[in-house]
Amino acid sequence: MHASTSGSAGISTRGDLAVVLLSGGLDSATLLAIARQEGYVCHALSFDYGQTHSAELAAARRVAAHCDVRHRILTIPIGSLGGSALTDPSIPVPDQGGEGIPVTYVPARNTVFLALALAWAEVLKARAVFIGVNALDYSGYPDCRPEFVAAFQELANLATRQAVEGAPVEIHAPLVNMTKAEIIKRGTELGVDYSNTVSCYRADSAGRACARCDACRFRAQGFSQAGVMDPTHYRA
């Protein structure tokens, strides 16, 4: 089976289970809406991985509650390894990512997230895992590319009992080739309340955004290009 990177999962029999990675940002909120629209019974999974602010986890709780889906938050220690401005307070978050892979990249984060999502999917006997990676309006992270999703699908096909027994878990990345504006338009069509989401790398405890980091700039640009009102709460 191949990883799905199209805008539609397209394989669900109504009632199939799916694990949806839910960060609390606008991409993952849209992802959850797409998975539900495709007919999946969704189980949302978030991670307390040592990120320097908790606003995105609070947002994930709001999104999951709004959609009335089962939601788990796992605590994992990858942030304690350091190496990222999102987990190490001594590394400043830049206003612009600059050339190359920016310091906001968290080493192996999506690999770890997908591995744990895959484990839960097997426990649930779920048919799919959804991840909201995006290869267009993003900061150049290597684990947000279609090639990464395809490679992880191959790993899942080799490494899981479900795959060996003929019912592999499929990895879906329906946002991977969409612009931020396209993601917002799709989510708006599906009734996503983006006021529940937080995308800022420097969000404060109330979830208010800085308006300067890459995540804020991509988000604001997306709402502007989509012609949708931006509900982001910014710091004064």
Side-chain angles (χ1 to χ4, degrees):
M1 302 293 286
H2 298 288
S4 172
T5 56
S6 68
S8 172
I11 62 145
S12 174
T13 298
R14 182 132 331 237
D16 284 345
L17 303 185
V19 174
V20 180
L21 290 171
L22 183 66
S23 70
L26 74 84
D27 289 346
S28 69
T30 307
L31 181 76
L32 178 58
I34 289 172
R36 295 177 73 221
Q37 191 271 336
E38 290 292 339
Y40 286 95
V41 175
C42 296
H43 296 253
L45 181 61
S46 305
F47 297 99
D48 182 349
Y49 61 90
Q51 56 269 58
T52 55
H53 67 71
S54 60
E56 62 184 18
L57 288 177
R61 291 186 186 95
R62 290 193 298 270
V63 172
H66 179 77
C67 293
D68 193 25
V69 298
R70 181 181 179 187
H71 183 214
R72 294 190 68 175
I73 298 176
L74 297 183
T75 299
I76 55 177
I78 60 172
S80 65
L81 301 174
S84 171
L86 300 191
T87 59
D88 185 345
S90 71
I91 303 175
V93 174
D95 285 346
Q96 295 187 19
E99 296 183 2
I101 299 172
V103 296
T104 50
Y105 165 69
V106 179
R109 179 175 61 179
N110 284 341
T111 303
V112 174
F113 286 2
L114 275 176
L116 291 169
L118 181 62
W120 196 25
E122 280 216 282
V123 171
L124 295 169
K125 295 181 171 56
R127 291 291 308 277
V129 168
F130 281 75
I131 183 169
V133 292
N134 178 258
L136 296 181
D137 291 342
Y138 80 127
S139 297
Y141 302 149
D143 55 358
C144 288
R145 297 175 295 167
E147 297 91 337
F148 166 75
V149 178
F152 195 91
Q153 180 71 74
E154 291 302 313
L155 181 151
N157 291 346
L158 290 170
T160 59
R161 181 172 64 186
Q162 279 189 218
V164 170
E165 293 179 348
V169 177
E170 295 201 350
I171 312 300
H172 294 285
L175 311 184
V176 72
N177 292 315
M178 298 172 69
T179 67
K180 202 65 90 179
E182 289 170 340
I183 292 168
I184 291 167
K185 286 179 181 178
R186 180 69 174 132
T188 300
E189 292 170 356
L190 295 175
V192 175
D193 183 355
Y194 287 116
S195 69
N196 286 328
T197 66
V198 173
S199 303
C200 178
Y201 293 149
R202 298 193 191 98
D204 64 15
S205 60
R208 294 174 298 185
C210 74
R212 302 191 311 276
C213 69
D214 270 357
C216 280
R217 291 190 299 104
F218 289 136
R219 180 181 173 111
Q221 178 178 289
F223 277 108
S224 176
Q225 292 177 347
V228 175
M229 185 185 71
D230 184 355
T232 305
H233 304 291
Y234 291 104
R235 295 198 292 269

